[in-house]
Amino acid sequence: MIERRKTRTVMKGDVPVGSEHPVSVQTMTKVDTADVETSVDEIRRLTAAGAEIVRVSVPGAKAAMAIAKIKPRVNVPIVADIHFSPALALKAIEAGADCIRINPGNIGKHVDAIREICRRCRNKGISMRIGGNEGSIMDREGIEVVEHDTDPVVKMVDEVLRNCELLEGEGFRDIVVSVKSHDPLETIRAYTLIAGQCDYPLHIGVTHAGTIEQATIKTATAFGALLSRGIGDTIRVSITGDPADEVRVGREILQCLGLKKRGLEVYACPSCGRADVDVMKLTAEVEEVVKDLALDVRVAVMGCEVNGPGEAAQADIGIAAGRGWGYIMQKGRILEKVKADDLAGSLKTHILRMKDEGLIVASKEA
Amino acid sequence: MIERRKTRTVMKGDVPVGSEHPVSVQTMTKVDTADVETSVDEIRRLTAAGAEIVRVSVPGAKAAMAIAKIKPRVNVPIVADIHFSPALALKAIEAGADCIRINPGNIGKHVDAIREICRRCRNKGISMRIGGNEGSIMDREGIEVVEHDTDPVVKMVDEVLRNCELLEGEGFRDIVVSVKSHDPLETIRAYTLIAGQCDYPLHIGVTHAGTIEQATIKTATAFGALLSRGIGDTIRVSITGDPADEVRVGREILQCLGLKKRGLEVYACPSCGRADVDVMKLTAEVEEVVKDLALDVRVAVMGCEVNGPGEAAQADIGIAAGRGWGYIMQKGRILEKVKADDLAGSLKTHILRMKDEGLIVASKEA
């Protein structure tokens, strides 16, 4: 129904971003990236909730290097959020981040360093996001630019495009662009303006949007305006609160516009050292029993009885499996403990019960 | 910033609706309209929250006639919501409703009666809303039309426009139109379609939108798409819950788009038999002390110590005045009891305190 603005395709890990692909939902962890265990649990929880790309903050070298340990244990592209320091960007690239987000304003004085970052990204097939925020515009010497007679939206868009040109000078075009404002109307203006001036996919968002109700209103209003015009290829809802809420609200906005189909989704955690069961085999069994149900339901399959329950809590229903047995979970509540061989069958029984109770509805075409 | 779609101006009581006037916020009471006391209290509560137009359901003759008793005690235009019965529409007109809402689908078999309704409206200077809902389309004999090969959005728009023509045949053009769907994307399509086919002001809304989070997401997404294109002259957010939430969310969506200025607003209840003080005099005093504060604040002045506190609860701060004294209220909480002569001054002191506490912010240009 909605005709997307034509863009090139840029990969964030294995997720393609651009007009030829579904609009993806991002979020950002709020835990210490350097704390690997906590980060892995948090990323899995957000992925179970439906996050398709997860950003982590990289405030220091320890956080940058933690990405190398986090990556193998999650199955979602990881974006490294870099402020101020080109050295941290290089470390995050080295650690295997799938995308490097830089703010053109605050590393604007490091032109040579940015060239080096994009060469390294190109060599490793890593994409970049050039993410401007209104108010964070600085000159090339890193001095904050305050020009009251210049439209701040035009200034932000120009700054971001100048940074893209810098990367293009290195033959680098795997760029996703964002131009966020805290004000929904300014956000609409900024993205509408930049949409006509490049063919890069756009990451859209309203920044500093506030607590959940305020952020939901601001973001849905701006996204309705933009997405209905085909502008926006990947989204983040910024909420002062739980990032799982960002994912849920983001998905619902896309569903409102027919940009995300409801239906059956099975999310499996990646098999890891902590997994007590063959997650891939269990997932295949689950997919087999639910595939013909034609229901709008999100199923999580987690191969860990320690963190699995918490991670599966964001799905409608899920399995947190231990060795030889597993829990069936409904919206974070443990329903029963079941033998491994009976898990998939029991899951189906509970899904059908939830359907009878009206907690799960039949899927229809978007 | 947003260029409104050009429309004629239609009055709902003393509130002009159309592109030359601010987009107004509506809601609908959920109490029994026939219960006059409860309806008056509810309407004042919603008006204190910022409702600029209030609709009441008219399921029977008692409700229609209650409008005559409610009207003198509230100072907001009252829209009578009529389903099925032309006789009830005539009674509501007689009782002094400011606008009659009819659903073209379900009184479609009463063509002569509709002509009579619009003649009476014209004679009394009352406007009409022709409000279609997807799914409520019926043929002229009142039989539900189910044509699976016809686009339901096109069908709804055609039905509404045919009903407008019926009224135009009587020389009646004081019409506001709505074409709601439960689906945000269908809602966007319907309003975009009808916007190009008439110059009537549009009342926009997503119907059956659900509980507050779901309704907020659906409505803000659809309104962002429509209002950013200049489509929509009066809005209603439909929430399964408190209509005061509908008002708050609606106002915030408009503020997101620069369609409603924040700033100082003083809401005074109409003086009524129950009022123990001179509300107009007190309101003038309050306006005098707050007018230069340049703050985003909503102040309620209620001349009644019985229902005033409940009605003022939706404002940031308010006065519920009795004989010779009054309560200063903050967000529904009684702060102190003050002598009548000191009320305005005390209110100002509390507003400045709330500003210091960050509960009220300085207003800025929209």
Side-chain angles (χ1 to χ4, degrees):
Chain A
M1 178 66 69
I2 289 174
E3 192 178 340
R4 304 267 299 277
R5 157 187 168 266
K6 288 280 167 260
T7 75
R8 64 178 61 232
T9 294
V10 172
M11 300 301 293
K12 297 203 179 196
D14 59 359
V15 174
V17 176
S19 57
E20 303 310 307
H21 306 281
V23 178
S24 49
V25 175
Q26 309 204 9
T27 187
M28 187 167 179
T29 61
K30 286 168 184 168
V31 300
D32 178 6
T33 306
D35 179 344
V36 173
E37 289 305 318
T38 303
S39 292
V40 167
D41 291 347
E42 182 69 350
I43 292 167
R44 288 194 190 166
R45 188 175 72 92
L46 298 173
T47 317
E52 290 153 314
I53 298 166
V54 175
R55 181 157 47 122
V56 299
S57 67
V58 180
K62 223 176 144 195
M65 289 182 296
I67 292 171
K69 295 183 184 129
I70 293 168
K71 271 288 296 174
R73 294 174 56 189
V74 299
N75 59 1
V76 67
I78 298 296
V79 179
D81 198 62
I82 308 290
H83 284 266
F84 306 111
S85 167
L88 290 178
L90 296 175
K91 280 199 168 63
I93 292 166
E94 193 60 36
D98 297 292
C99 177
I100 302 295
R101 183 261 165 136
I102 61 169
N103 187 323
N106 61 35
I107 52 177
K109 64 178 169 178
H110 308 289
V111 171
D112 289 338
I114 289 182
R115 290 203 177 103
E116 178 63 19
I117 291 167
C118 87
R119 279 192 293 268
R120 301 259 193 113
C121 280
R122 193 183 47 211
N123 291 344
K124 294 192 72 169
I126 294 172
S127 59
M128 291 177 74
R129 172 157 71 96
I130 304 296
N133 284 336
E134 193 197 7
S136 66
I137 304 303
M138 308 218 180
D139 70 11
R140 285 291 159 85
E141 275 65 49
I143 307 206
E144 191 163 356
V145 173
V146 182
E147 291 178 21
H148 289 299
D149 55 345
T150 307
D151 182 335
V153 162
V154 173
K155 188 109 188 86
M156 169 169 60
V157 166
D158 285 350
E159 176 77 16
V160 165
L161 290 174
R162 279 212 310 278
N163 271 264
C164 290
E165 284 166 17
L166 191 63
L167 274 55
E168 290 160 7
E170 300 299 314
F172 189 84
R173 288 195 162 77
D174 290 331
I175 304 169
V176 173
V177 156
S178 65
V179 282
K180 300 184 185 183
S181 165
H182 71 282
D183 179 86
L185 194 55
E186 297 287 74
T187 302
I188 296 167
R189 279 179 64 217
Y191 281 98
T192 305
L193 187 62
I194 205 163
Q197 296 187 49
C198 66
D199 76 340
Y200 296 118
L202 298 179
H203 162 125
I204 64 173
V206 176
T207 193
H208 303 309
T211 51
I212 185 163
E213 180 175 296
Q214 195 71 31
T216 298
I217 293 172
K218 286 185 183 177
T219 306
T221 301
F223 284 12
L226 290 169
L227 291 167
S228 67
R229 290 170 168 85
I231 296 174
D233 304 291
T234 182
I235 69 171
R236 184 199 171 191
V237 178
S238 294
I239 294 174
T240 305
D242 185 350
D245 289 337
E246 299 185 353
V247 176
R248 187 183 70 254
V249 171
R251 290 172 62 88
E252 287 179 5
I253 292 171
L254 293 182
Q255 285 167 348
C256 281
L257 295 167
L259 290 167
K260 183 168 283 295
K261 281 195 187 142
R262 295 175 206 266
L264 170 69
E265 290 180 279
V266 178
Y267 167 72
C269 77
S271 207
C272 71
R274 202 163 53 196
D276 290 320
V277 294
D278 183 339
V279 175
M280 284 179 66
K281 179 166 165 286
L282 179 58
T283 303
E285 286 172 24
V286 166
E287 284 177 338
E288 183 60 29
V289 300
V290 297
K291 73 180 164 55
D292 295 324
L293 295 181
L295 295 172
D296 284 345
V297 58
R298 190 161 171 82
V299 183
V301 182
M302 318 301 274
C304 170
E305 79 272 37
V306 180
N307 294 290
E311 294 161 5
Q314 301 299 320
D316 294 310
I317 189 159
I319 293 173
R323 189 176 304 276
W325 58 274
Y327 294 122
I328 303 286
M329 313 277 310
Q330 178 181 334
K331 293 266 182 197
R333 188 164 51 89
I334 293 174
L335 294 176
E336 58 174 325
K337 191 172 174 175
V338 177
K339 279 192 297 178
D341 289 348
D342 300 335
L343 277 169
S346 173
L347 185 85
K348 181 175 179 175
T349 304
H350 282 290
I351 288 175
L352 292 174
R353 173 190 49 77
M354 287 174 75
K355 182 192 172 191
D356 287 343
E357 292 171 1
L359 299 172
I360 294 174
V361 298
S363 63
K364 50 181 182 183
E365 292 307 305
Chain B
M1 176 68 65
I2 289 173
E3 192 179 340
R4 303 266 300 277
R5 158 187 167 266
K6 288 280 169 261
T7 75
R8 64 177 62 230
T9 294
V10 173
M11 300 302 293
K12 295 203 179 195
D14 58 359
V15 174
V17 176
S19 57
E20 303 310 307
H21 306 280
V23 178
S24 49
V25 176
Q26 309 205 10
T27 188
M28 187 168 178
T29 61
K30 286 169 183 166
V31 300
D32 178 6
T33 305
D35 179 343
V36 173
E37 290 304 318
T38 304
S39 292
V40 167
D41 291 347
E42 182 70 349
I43 292 167
R44 288 193 189 165
R45 189 175 72 91
L46 298 174
T47 317
E52 290 153 315
I53 297 165
V54 175
R55 182 158 45 122
V56 299
S57 67
V58 180
K62 222 177 145 195
M65 290 182 296
I67 292 171
K69 295 184 184 129
I70 293 168
K71 271 289 296 175
R73 294 175 55 189
V74 298
N75 59 1
V76 67
I78 298 295
V79 180
D81 198 61
I82 308 290
H83 285 266
F84 306 110
S85 167
L88 289 178
L90 296 175
K91 279 199 167 62
I93 292 166
E94 193 60 36
D98 297 291
C99 177
I100 302 295
R101 184 260 167 139
I102 61 169
N103 186 323
N106 62 34
I107 51 178
K109 65 177 169 178
H110 307 288
V111 171
D112 290 338
I114 290 183
R115 290 204 177 102
E116 179 62 19
I117 291 167
C118 86
R119 278 192 293 268
R120 300 260 193 112
C121 281
R122 192 184 47 210
N123 291 344
K124 294 192 71 169
I126 295 171
S127 58
M128 290 178 74
R129 172 158 70 96
I130 304 296
N133 284 335
E134 193 196 6
S136 66
I137 304 303
M138 307 217 179
D139 71 12
R140 285 291 160 86
E141 274 65 51
I143 308 212
E144 191 163 358
V145 173
V146 183
E147 291 177 21
H148 290 298
D149 56 344
T150 307
D151 181 336
V153 162
V154 173
K155 188 109 188 85
M156 170 169 59
V157 167
D158 285 350
E159 176 76 16
V160 165
L161 290 175
R162 280 212 309 278
N163 271 264
C164 290
E165 284 166 18
L166 191 63
L167 274 55
E168 289 160 8
E170 300 298 315
F172 189 84
R173 288 195 161 76
D174 289 330
I175 304 169
V176 172
V177 157
S178 65
V179 283
K180 301 184 185 183
S181 165
H182 71 283
D183 179 87
L185 194 55
E186 298 287 74
T187 302
I188 296 167
R189 278 179 63 217
Y191 280 98
T192 306
L193 187 61
I194 206 163
Q197 297 187 47
C198 67
D199 76 340
Y200 295 118
L202 297 178
H203 163 125
I204 64 174
V206 177
T207 192
H208 303 309
T211 51
I212 185 162
E213 180 175 296
Q214 195 71 31
T216 298
I217 293 172
K218 287 185 182 177
T219 306
T221 301
F223 283 13
L226 290 169
L227 292 168
S228 67
R229 290 170 168 86
I231 297 173
D233 304 291
T234 182
I235 69 171
R236 184 200 171 189
V237 179
S238 294
I239 294 175
T240 305
D242 184 351
D245 289 337
E246 300 185 353
V247 176
R248 188 184 70 254
V249 171
R251 290 172 62 89
E252 287 179 4
I253 292 172
L254 293 182
Q255 285 167 348
C256 281
L257 295 167
L259 290 167
K260 183 168 283 295
K261 281 194 186 144
R262 295 176 205 267
L264 170 70
E265 289 180 279
V266 178
Y267 166 73
C269 79
S271 207
C272 71
R274 202 161 54 196
D276 289 321
V277 294
D278 184 339
V279 175
M280 284 179 68
K281 178 165 166 287
L282 179 58
T283 303
E285 286 172 25
V286 166
E287 285 177 338
E288 182 60 30
V289 299
V290 297
K291 72 180 164 57
D292 294 324
L293 295 182
L295 295 172
D296 284 345
V297 58
R298 190 161 171 83
V299 183
V301 181
M302 318 301 274
C304 170
E305 81 272 37
V306 180
N307 295 290
E311 293 161 5
Q314 301 299 320
D316 294 310
I317 190 160
I319 293 173
R323 188 176 304 276
W325 58 274
Y327 294 122
I328 302 286
M329 314 276 311
Q330 177 180 336
K331 293 268 183 197
R333 187 164 51 88
I334 293 174
L335 294 177
E336 59 174 324
K337 192 170 172 175
V338 176
K339 279 193 297 177
D341 288 348
D342 300 334
L343 277 169
S346 173
L347 185 86
K348 181 175 180 177
T349 304
H350 282 291
I351 289 175
L352 292 174
R353 173 189 51 75
M354 287 173 76
K355 182 192 172 191
D356 287 342
E357 292 171 1
L359 299 171
I360 293 174
V361 297
S363 64
K364 51 180 183 183
E365 291 307 304

